[in-house]
Amino acid sequence: MVVELFESLLPKLSRGATITTDPLSRWSTYKAPNAAVTVNVTSELDVATTVRFCNEHGFTFLAQNGGSGWATFPGTKDLVIINLSNLNSVVLAADKTTAVIGGGARVYETITAADSADVLVLTGNCNGVGVLGALLGGGYGNLMGKIGGMGVDSILELRAVTADGAMRTINASQEPDLFWAMRGAGPNFGVVTSATVKACPTQKDKRIAWSGALIYTEDKLEQVVEAIQNIELIPHAVCFMYYGSSGPSNHVPVIIVTLWLFQGTPESGKASFKPLFDIGPVMDTTSILPYTEWNTSANPFCTHAERKPVFTAGLDKLDPKAWREVWNKYVEFQKLPTAHASAVLLEAYPNIELDAARTPLASFPHRAVRFQAAILTWYTDEQLDKAAVKCGKEIREVWRKSNGRDFNASYVNFAHGDEPLEEIYGDSLPRLRELKRKWDPEDRFNQWFNIQ
Ligand SMILES: Cc1cc2nc3c(=O)[nH]c(=O)nc-3n(C[C@H](O)[C@H](O)[C@H](O)COP(=O)(O)OP(=O)(O)OC[C@H]3O[C@@H](n4cnc5c(N)ncnc54)[C@H](O)[C@@H]3O)c2cc1C
């Protein structure tokens, strides 16, 4: 029935657009969208035509870019997926200080295009993630220091289809309220078909970073956590810690710290992260990498398929005792059958200057949060769902208590889906609610941390 109806949409779309019932792959299959049909659009007009068609016939729709959104979806039946992956162009301005990134471009294709044009652009740090999927919620990435802000701060203009099916240009002077709202809560307000973002012209020999992993045995856990807590990251440095598997065949849990220093050398890198080297890692893979390889080691982490409920917390400080408790809970879960790829993630990004001054400019909240923490339960056996949710919720609560806040200041792109909206949108929520009533009064964009 749904498919037959959609056959009447197909003739209205551009040549090359298709409609299929084959589901698109996603990073996690846990509570993933329930797609009835997928419309593979090839133009902005196709997006607008599909949105209008869905409105006229009462279908709920959802845009998909990189398919990495790990939050749980509401399980809406007969959902229409608007697959943006053909809108994947990346076009540099003649002066190379801006780039127009298509609504379906992923990180790796964007980095490749930027590298070929001798520029750097701010993207997420995993090659399979949708560039705009990440940017519209905030956008953490290695180049925050270089660009001087988060992903939302690098956006200069958006082209988007709004709930009424109109195609709009949105920037600081044209629809400024929508520009504010979409830079933090984008998926609630429109389907972005392209974004103009800042780019930094940079010669090839300067498009490098000193980067790699240090691996520690678990007895060093408290020291590692304390060192990360105390490191003052300069704007061009990033540090992550993972609890993860050492690999086949026995998947012993280990502590992995990844380091990144823009234009670093082995000497400046080791000096910047000296406290972590002093602890005595059992392995050190750091080396100098070109721009196109900064994310390569994280590729296994981008794999689509399998079940991966994630729970998160934004933290102001790290308590080694709490991180030991998290380790113990993680190790218990990770040894269950098929769960060996599960991981705990801690991200430390530099505290970019002017954070507070930027808050009124974009709706992204929680700029003062210093660390992002997440437990990624990862398995194939559906029977583990209950254990995964229990483990994830318990770990999230350990983080909340250790941080001393009533709530977790969750990053929308890392959140699980069960958090109160106040926790996701922070102080921006009241104004976002007002703007939602103005721009999406029928609540057409209702699948992603729906603002009501
Ligand atoms: C392996 C991995 C690595 C990650 N690394 C980072 C990182 O380095 N930095 C970071 O900030 N986040 C990171 N994230 C989180 C990431 O930002 C979110 O998962 C994000 O939602 C993914 O966007 P997507 O387009 O890949 O996913 P999708 O599932 O396609 O989209 C997620 C949501 O965004 C909406 N959306 C996507 N594109 C558009 C568009 N063009 N217009 C309107 N709405 C759109 C979708 O409708 C959906 O609601 C990572 C996630 C994973 C799984």
Side-chain angles (χ1 to χ4, degrees):
M1 155 78 181
V2 176
V3 182
E4 279 144 28
L5 194 53
F6 272 79
E7 276 169 5
S8 60
L9 169 66
L10 191 57
K12 300 182 177 129
L13 302 179
S14 317
R15 187 188 293 209
T18 55
I19 295 178
T20 164
T21 50
D22 299 337
L24 295 174
S25 75
R26 294 192 60 82
W27 185 75
S28 172
T29 57
Y30 179 79
K31 297 202 177 172
N34 235 332
V37 289
T38 299
V39 182
N40 300 301
V41 297
T42 61
S43 68
E44 181 179 76
L45 185 57
D46 287 347
V47 176
T49 307
T50 307
V51 167
R52 283 183 219 137
F53 183 89
C54 288
N55 288 348
E56 278 157 27
H57 294 89
F59 289 110
T60 307
F61 54 84
L62 171 74
Q64 179 161 328
N65 179 359
S68 302
W70 64 44
T72 54
F73 285 84
T76 308
K77 290 236 161 56
D78 289 341
L79 187 66
V80 177
I81 298 290
I82 304 178
N83 175 16
L84 302 172
S85 62
N86 291 318
L87 307 185
N88 60 354
S89 60
V90 180
V91 179
L92 268 294
D95 68 359
K96 299 195 177 185
T97 61
T98 61
V100 180
I101 299 180
R106 296 190 188 198
V107 168
Y108 190 67
E109 52 204 351
T110 303
I111 288 180
T112 312
D115 190 64
S116 313
D118 291 328
V119 303
L120 297 166
V121 291
L122 175 50
T123 64
N125 295 341
C126 262
N127 285 330
V129 170
V131 175
L132 291 179
L135 256 54
L136 293 173
Y140 286 96
N142 285 332
L143 288 168
M144 281 162 57
K146 177 80 182 152
I147 299 284
M150 298 193 56
V152 284
D153 304 316
S154 80
I155 298 174
L156 302 169
E157 182 168 288
L158 297 168
R159 284 281 307 169
V161 174
T162 45
D164 54 359
M167 295 172 278
R168 297 177 195 273
T169 299
I170 301 157
N171 56 38
S173 45
Q174 238 171 303
E175 317 299 4
D177 58 353
L178 199 49
F179 192 50
W180 175 85
M182 292 195 77
R183 289 176 305 138
N188 260 272
F189 289 89
V191 180
V192 175
T193 52
S194 70
T196 305
V197 300
K198 292 178 191 167
C200 292
T202 312
Q203 291 164 9
K204 186 177 173 62
D205 61 336
K206 304 275 189 232
R207 294 196 304 278
I208 53 164
W210 171 87
S211 184
L214 307 181
I215 299 184
Y216 300 87
T217 47
E218 65 136 319
D219 54 306
K220 303 285 198 300
L221 189 154
E222 283 79 3
Q223 284 170 273
V224 171
V225 170
E226 205 151 324
I228 295 174
Q229 155 79 31
N230 293 332
I231 280 177
E232 273 204 28
L233 289 174
I234 58 164
H236 296 311
V238 172
C239 173
F240 287 5
M241 179 184 76
Y242 299 88
Y243 297 164
S245 147
S246 60
S249 58
N250 49 7
H251 296 289
V252 175
V254 288
I255 299 162
I256 305 157
V257 172
T258 61
L259 306 172
W260 183 90
L261 182 66
F262 184 59
Q263 294 173 355
T265 61
E267 293 72 36
S268 61
K270 283 181 184 156
S272 299
F273 295 102
K274 185 170 180 305
L276 283 161
F277 280 91
D278 288 348
I279 295 167
V282 288
M283 200 189 282
D284 169 2
T285 70
T286 53
S287 65
I288 294 176
L289 297 176
Y291 183 30
T292 49
E293 284 179 36
W294 293 350
N295 298 341
T296 307
S297 64
N299 281 348
F301 190 52
C302 295
T303 316
H304 277 206
E306 307 193 344
R307 300 177 87 71
K308 304 166 191 146
V310 179
F311 295 81
T312 192
L315 302 176
D316 311 307
K317 57 184 180 188
L318 305 178
D319 171 5
K321 270 201 210 122
W323 282 84
R324 171 62 69 180
E325 206 181 332
V326 170
W327 170 270
N328 292 340
K329 288 180 187 295
Y330 162 73
V331 170
E332 277 305 299
F333 184 81
Q334 191 255 4
K335 69 182 176 206
L336 295 174
T338 78
H340 54 263
S342 301
V344 168
L345 168 64
L346 167 67
E347 297 190 347
Y349 282 100
N351 202 358
I352 310 280
E353 279 176 46
L354 296 174
D355 278 354
R358 284 177 202 280
T359 308
L361 305 179
S363 62
F364 173 76
H366 309 322
R367 282 179 187 265
V369 166
R370 270 189 78 198
F371 304 102
Q372 295 294 337
I375 159 76
L376 287 71
T377 57
W378 183 329
Y379 51 92
T380 52
D381 182 354
E382 283 188 34
Q383 305 226 351
L384 289 194
D385 283 353
K386 221 170 147 186
V389 171
K390 180 171 180 291
C391 169
K393 284 189 173 172
E394 284 178 7
I395 287 181
R396 184 172 65 178
E397 184 57 9
V398 170
W399 282 324
R400 189 197 61 75
K401 278 194 186 145
S402 72
N403 202 39
R405 286 202 199 195
D406 293 343
F407 65 97
N408 269 325
S410 301
Y411 173 35
V412 63
N413 284 343
F414 283 7
H416 179 71
D418 61 345
E419 296 85 352
L421 290 181
E422 289 74 9
E423 189 171 315
I424 300 291
Y425 296 111
D427 291 345
S428 296
L429 185 60
R431 187 167 171 214
L432 283 170
R433 281 193 164 125
E434 254 175 56
L435 292 173
K436 181 80 173 172
R437 283 193 289 274
K438 172 178 171 189
W439 286 101
D440 184 14
E442 308 288 334
D443 197 21
R444 303 284 186 204
F445 295 102
N446 58 19
Q447 297 287 299
W448 185 253
F449 300 94
N450 186 17
I451 296 167
Q452 284 174 308

